[in-house]
Amino acid sequence: MEFKENYTQQLQRLNEYQKAAVFDESSACLVNANVGSGKTTVLITKVMYLHYEKQIPYEQMVVLTFTNKAADEIKERLYALEPEIKEEQLWGFGTFHSVCLTMLKKMLPVENLGYTKEFMVMDPDEELEMAEQLILTYQLKIKYKNRLKRRLEQKNSKYQDDIEKLKALLKEEKRRQDKMTFDELLDNTCKLVKMSAEIEEVSKKNANLQDNENTGMQDISWIIVDEVQDSDEKQLELIDCLKKTQTCFFAVGDPNQVIYSWRGSAFHIFYQLKTKYQATELTLPVNYRSSSEILAVARCFMQQGDTLQGGRENGDKIQIRNMYDPFQEADYLAGRIRELHASGLPYRETAVFYRLQNQSEIFEHVFEKEGIPFEVSLKKTVKDIPVLDWLIRVLRFSVNPKDKSSGIAALADKKYGDGMSVKEAEKTINILSENLKTQTEILKSENAKSGSDICEKMLEFSKVYVSKQVALPEDLWSYFSLENHLHPTTASYEEDRTYVMDFFTRMITYQKEQQKNVVEGFSEFLNMASLYGTNILKKEIHNENDTVKLMTLHASKGLEFSHVFITGVNYGLIPLQTKSFEEEEEEQRLFFVGITRAKEHLELSYYASPGQYRAAPGPSRYLRMIPGNLVEGQEKDRESSATHLQDLKRQILAERGEHRELQEAGKISGGKNPSANTETENISAENETVTTKKRRVRHPKYGTGSVVREDDMMLTVDFDDYGEKELMKMFGGLEELP
């Protein structure tokens, strides 16, 4: 069989360490996989080995990943080797949340928890909106509303207000609207799996109960986990719930890449799992990604193990560059990247890393001016595309009339909806949902807002389309009368219409592929959109577009590039100022992750004048941890004339309406060449100014406040209602008040 031949060829390409992991017979095995050691290859080959050599059906495997990208890669490689695989066979292959969604929809009696099989997934922002609606409806007294999300997550509150009442109302409202949060997908799956286990145990003891409801769950023979070091408590609990006595466990990960403690992951995960399951621990020590010089630098920042071995030839020594400020850095990088591209290196093989997202903005503007194609890695959701944010609310209420909060938000939207107040929208929804009158009579009633055609269409959608197998984008456009809501006379109309029709097309394609009726298919698609954001609309930044990639160190995890530039290696940026030893250790692991993304060339840089008040001038201690023999002799930095850099600053700042402000403050006057200071490491931090006279400003989102700190690039404003916020001058959108 062709597949078995491919499998055999795959085995032959493995090294001895990889084969040991694939062939391991332990009931529980943890594979400590160093960066670039082929862990994904090992994981996929393990699945193939279990299926072909051990005769384990795919249906009896649960393969859990942390990203949709990783799950898709595993599935695609299996499909490529064995095209006959059916999608339902791989029900257990996916992210933790997507697998739980499948189990709740198709295998577990979710009705026992007060939900229907048609329940919808809601993101954290939607839950917060629901909470705010409940506060308004029930006139609840809640302190510190600006911290509402955090307060809802806390188990015990030290404040005397209605927060516990709000939590109870929120829990009930989610059930009433048939909606679950991401965390509840995990929690409810665990609850139902435990309930099913109890029923099964009782059934064994009492033959009369054999006819009890069958959950439809397949016996799980193997649980396989990718990037296990990223697991949080809820995910570990899910693994524990799914793992029965006879279930085998196999996981790969790297403790040196624990960089998500703020999300619940912990450095001790490996030890915890090894102890709990009495697991065998194996190692994949050979890195096939990076040159020996880059690996030698990476070893300086490893916190666990000393087995990182190189599998490639020697390469270039790394470079450390001293830049005056981010403007000079961006100018230098534009020229350097242009040179690399002229020498034959594709743009997509180049990446620029930084610690904070706002650091990308200067690079973006300079690259745009210099004609360097680029992409910025951002964790975007549909909320970043207003018309899709509104459309999804319309569709969610249409396929699930219980989802009142989506209906209310759709009607209350000022740009695309009916522009109702939240109270008006809620009243209209309640009347339309609960009154026994016909839709037409209700809409004409004095209690409902007249002309709410979109509301009528949303409520009728399920009835009209439940039996239909086909829907066309043009029909949906016409059905919801979207021409009236997107307003053809507005500047955004053409772009909005393109977004909408593309979304309809993708939704319909998915519905047809799943062979569902329109309502069921759309409902599943919308749940996916909640789980994966805009990834469902556009490929992630690792795609093959020939562009330079700009991203934070966190976003770089899992990617690789020929040339990597890590910028701003100043204390206060890399690493950030930390409050604990644990946080400091994680900053070091994050730097390790960034270093190990590079294959051939790595360049680190720091600023004499970083322009962020938290950042100290001069190199951070991380650069002094690198032995001199690994660093190429410091070249004279690319010359940038004073005139050129000053003009560059003026151009960028003028575009954002900040030029006059800086000119008046004397920040861009004078003829001193900034590159003349590049050899001075210990420059005083006098570029940061703590204002004595309080300047009053107004921000379009945060309102009025006082400037408390300012430097060449940044402002810190103490807003009256929001506290301190740090803003870039050129993008802050601040209005000076008299």
Side-chain angles (χ1 to χ4, degrees):
M1 185 181 289
E2 184 181 354
F3 174 67
K4 197 161 185 179
E5 292 176 3
N6 291 329
Y7 159 65
T8 304
Q9 293 172 2
Q10 183 99 338
L11 283 179
Q12 293 172 348
R13 290 194 290 267
L14 302 182
N15 65 33
E16 57 181 306
Y17 302 102
Q18 295 169 330
K19 287 179 180 177
V22 171
F23 297 144
D24 183 76
E25 298 287 342
S26 307
S27 60
C29 179
L30 285 169
V31 181
N32 192 328
N34 281 328
V35 291
S37 60
K39 67 175 180 61
T40 303
T41 297
V42 167
L43 190 146
I44 293 172
T45 310
K46 182 77 175 183
V47 170
M48 295 159 60
Y49 170 75
L50 292 174
H51 183 67
Y52 259 82
E53 301 294 341
K54 298 298 182 180
Q55 304 299 305
I56 306 295
Y58 291 124
E59 298 91 325
Q60 294 183 16
M61 300 184 203
V62 171
V63 181
L64 299 170
T65 67
F66 282 85
T67 66
N68 194 41
K69 170 182 174 289
D72 288 344
E73 183 179 354
I74 294 170
K75 289 181 185 178
E76 286 168 5
R77 287 175 68 171
L78 289 176
Y79 285 136
L81 293 168
E82 192 178 7
E84 294 79 15
I85 300 175
K86 296 180 180 178
E87 188 173 343
E88 52 266 26
Q89 290 177 269
L90 304 182
W91 69 266
F93 290 58
T95 64
F96 281 81
H97 293 103
S98 67
V99 170
C100 285
L101 180 63
T102 298
M103 293 174 68
L104 291 170
K105 288 281 188 178
K106 300 179 179 180
M107 300 175 180
L108 294 169
V110 71
E111 298 84 359
N112 293 350
L113 299 179
Y115 295 91
T116 72
K117 291 292 187 185
E118 290 72 42
F119 75 86
M120 302 294 290
V121 180
M122 63 190 307
D123 61 40
D125 288 341
E126 193 177 350
E127 183 183 30
L128 197 60
E129 289 174 3
M130 183 183 287
E132 291 170 347
Q133 288 177 10
L134 290 170
I135 293 172
L136 184 64
T137 301
Y138 291 94
Q139 297 295 300
L140 302 178
K141 295 180 180 179
I142 304 295
K143 295 181 179 179
Y144 302 103
K145 291 182 184 178
N146 58 327
R147 304 178 198 165
L148 184 57
K149 182 179 178 182
R150 185 181 301 176
R151 292 202 64 201
L152 288 170
E153 293 171 350
Q154 294 172 340
K155 292 183 179 180
N156 299 307
S157 175
K158 59 183 179 181
Y159 304 110
Q160 299 296 317
D161 60 3
D162 295 331
I163 191 68
E164 294 303 322
K165 185 178 180 180
L166 175 60
K167 289 179 183 178
L169 288 168
L170 186 59
K171 185 177 181 180
E172 184 57 36
E173 187 64 23
K174 283 186 287 188
R175 280 206 182 98
R176 187 180 295 114
Q177 296 193 22
D178 212 15
K179 298 161 81 170
M180 290 186 201
T181 62
F182 296 166
D183 282 349
E184 286 166 342
L185 287 175
L186 301 178
D187 291 338
N188 291 333
T189 299
C190 287
K191 287 179 185 176
L192 291 172
V193 168
K194 290 176 181 177
M195 290 168 58
S196 299
E198 292 171 0
I199 291 173
E200 184 180 348
E201 187 65 28
V202 173
S203 298
K204 290 179 181 177
K205 296 178 181 179
N206 190 344
N208 295 327
L209 295 180
Q210 289 180 355
D211 294 331
N212 270 325
E213 182 178 11
N214 187 348
T215 64
M217 284 200 57
Q218 299 283 342
D219 290 331
I220 298 173
S221 300
W222 279 82
I223 297 174
I224 299 172
V225 186
D226 187 25
E227 302 282 12
V228 71
Q229 79 279 349
D230 292 336
S231 305
D232 61 22
E233 288 186 9
K234 290 184 181 296
Q235 289 157 341
L236 292 175
E237 183 184 1
L238 177 68
I239 293 170
D240 207 45
C241 283
L242 296 178
K243 189 180 182 314
K244 298 180 180 180
T245 307
Q246 71 277 14
T247 306
C248 296
F249 177 73
F250 181 86
V252 295
D254 182 4
N256 288 298
Q257 296 191 68
V258 177
I259 59 174
Y260 297 117
S261 64
W262 47 273
R263 224 166 52 186
S265 60
F267 189 65
H268 64 268
I269 290 292
F270 257 70
Y271 176 78
Q272 184 178 338
L273 289 171
K274 184 179 178 180
T275 305
K276 187 178 185 81
Y277 299 135
Q278 296 297 299
T280 300
E281 186 170 5
L282 301 176
T283 302
L284 302 181
V286 184
N287 177 291
Y288 293 98
R289 175 187 299 153
S290 305
S291 68
S292 58
E293 287 79 7
I294 292 171
L295 290 183
V297 173
R299 290 190 195 99
C300 300
F301 301 93
M302 287 184 68
Q303 294 176 356
Q304 182 165 311
D306 56 0
T307 59
L308 183 59
Q309 302 174 16
R312 291 186 54 191
E313 71 285 351
N314 294 344
D316 299 331
K317 291 184 178 182
I318 73 160
Q319 295 183 354
I320 298 178
R321 293 192 177 275
N322 181 359
M323 295 291 172
Y324 178 72
D325 63 10
F327 287 96
Q328 189 192 25
E329 171 87 299
D331 183 57
Y332 162 75
L333 286 177
R336 178 71 176 125
I337 291 169
R338 191 181 294 108
E339 288 177 0
L340 290 170
H341 186 257
S343 68
L345 184 72
Y347 285 120
R348 64 176 173 268
E349 283 294 333
T350 305
V352 179
F353 300 162
Y354 35 80
R355 182 63 180 87
L356 303 175
Q357 190 66 65
N358 64 13
Q359 291 175 259
S360 75
E361 292 164 329
I362 292 175
F363 297 124
E364 291 177 54
H365 279 267
V366 173
F367 285 13
E368 186 173 356
K369 288 180 180 296
E370 296 297 323
I372 305 294
F374 66 90
E375 286 182 82
V376 184
S377 175
L378 293 171
K379 293 287 185 181
K380 288 188 175 182
T381 69
V382 291
K383 295 189 180 296
D384 298 303
I385 307 174
V387 70
L388 289 186
D389 182 30
W390 175 77
L391 180 68
I392 285 177
R393 295 174 187 275
V394 170
L395 292 169
R396 285 172 68 89
F397 186 55
S398 297
V399 300
N400 176 23
K402 294 181 180 180
D403 186 0
K404 291 183 181 179
S405 58
S406 291
I408 291 169
L411 293 179
D413 190 279
K414 301 298 183 186
K415 184 173 183 180
Y416 302 105
D418 287 342
M420 301 180 180
S421 69
V422 171
K423 284 187 175 181
E424 287 177 322
E426 184 177 14
K427 183 178 286 187
T428 300
I429 293 293
N430 287 336
I431 293 171
L432 289 170
S433 301
E434 299 170 9
N435 203 306
L436 296 178
K437 298 178 183 179
T438 66
Q439 308 298 343
T440 302
E441 290 173 335
I442 295 168
L443 287 168
K444 291 179 179 178
S445 87
E446 61 181 9
N447 294 318
K449 187 175 179 71
S450 61
S452 187
D453 294 334
I454 191 74
C455 195
E456 181 179 9
K457 293 295 185 181
M458 288 189 292
L459 282 160
E460 289 181 343
F461 184 84
S462 293
K463 298 176 184 177
V464 173
Y465 280 93
V466 70
S467 60
K468 292 188 177 184
Q469 302 297 319
V470 179
L472 298 174
E474 294 78 9
D475 293 341
L476 295 173
W477 177 275
S478 178
Y479 176 84
F480 289 112
S481 302
L482 295 182
E483 195 80 6
N484 299 328
H485 293 273
L486 269 61
H487 312 296
T489 58
T490 60
S492 63
Y493 174 76
E494 289 299 332
E495 184 180 29
D496 285 351
R497 192 178 192 284
T498 300
Y499 274 130
V500 168
M501 297 303 282
D502 184 53
F503 191 85
F504 281 157
T505 301
R506 291 172 183 270
M507 188 165 57
I508 292 166
T509 301
Y510 176 86
Q511 172 249 326
K512 289 178 179 177
E513 289 175 349
Q514 299 301 310
Q515 298 181 340
K516 305 280 188 180
N517 66 49
V518 170
V519 175
E520 290 177 347
F522 286 11
S523 180
E524 285 190 14
F525 184 88
L526 292 169
N527 277 331
M528 290 174 59
S530 293
L531 285 176
Y532 305 127
T534 55
N535 289 347
I536 204 167
L537 303 173
K538 184 180 179 181
K539 291 184 178 180
E540 297 175 329
I541 195 166
H542 57 267
N543 63 14
E544 292 302 308
N545 291 344
D546 195 23
T547 54
V548 176
K549 313 306 182 191
L550 306 178
M551 64 184 70
T552 63
L553 287 171
H554 277 101
S556 74
K557 188 171 179 290
L559 305 178
E560 59 181 42
F561 304 91
S562 176
H563 281 53
V564 168
F565 301 89
I566 303 180
T567 65
V569 191
N570 295 66
Y571 178 68
L573 288 175
I574 301 177
L576 291 181
Q577 296 181 30
T578 55
K579 299 178 181 178
S580 67
F581 179 70
E582 290 76 15
E583 290 179 356
E584 165 56 30
E585 283 191 322
E586 182 152 331
E587 285 293 309
Q588 186 171 315
R589 293 195 295 271
L590 182 60
F591 191 51
F592 171 85
V593 168
I595 290 170
T596 53
R597 302 308 96 193
K599 293 189 289 186
E600 279 88 28
H601 182 88
L602 174 66
E603 190 167 314
L604 312 174
S605 61
Y606 63 95
Y607 307 125
S609 178
Q612 301 224 20
Y613 81 87
R614 292 189 179 93
S620 86
R621 63 182 178 277
Y622 285 3
L623 296 181
R624 291 189 282 270
M625 291 170 63
I626 301 171
N629 65 306
L630 300 176
V631 182
E632 186 176 318
Q634 290 243 9
E635 299 177 3
K636 183 175 178 63
D637 292 328
R638 179 182 300 272
E639 290 290 343
S640 301
S641 71
T643 302
H644 172 71
L645 285 178
Q646 294 291 344
D647 287 345
L648 182 66
K649 288 184 181 182
R650 287 191 183 94
Q651 289 172 12
I652 295 173
L653 298 176
E655 287 181 2
R656 297 291 176 174
E658 300 289 341
H659 180 257
R660 181 181 298 176
E661 179 181 327
L662 286 185
Q663 194 174 44
E664 291 173 354
K667 301 295 186 181
I668 59 172
S669 60
K672 189 177 181 180
N673 185 351
S675 64
N677 292 325
T678 57
E679 298 301 316
T680 304
E681 292 186 3
N682 297 315
I683 298 177
S684 69
E686 293 177 358
N687 64 303
E688 179 182 313
T689 304
V690 178
T691 59
T692 55
K693 181 182 177 182
K694 287 194 176 182
R695 292 165 50 204
R696 297 288 290 172
V697 295
R698 180 183 290 112
H699 189 271
K701 178 178 179 181
Y702 302 121
T704 57
S706 301
V707 177
V708 296
R709 194 177 293 105
E710 166 180 11
D711 61 29
D712 290 358
M713 294 169 52
M714 308 298 294
L715 285 169
T716 301
V717 181
D718 185 6
F719 289 103
D720 300 341
D721 297 323
Y722 287 87
E724 286 194 6
K725 299 286 183 182
E726 188 179 13
L727 305 169
M728 290 193 75
K729 285 184 174 181
M730 69 180 75
F731 309 114
L734 294 174
E735 175 190 353
E736 292 278 352
L737 297 177

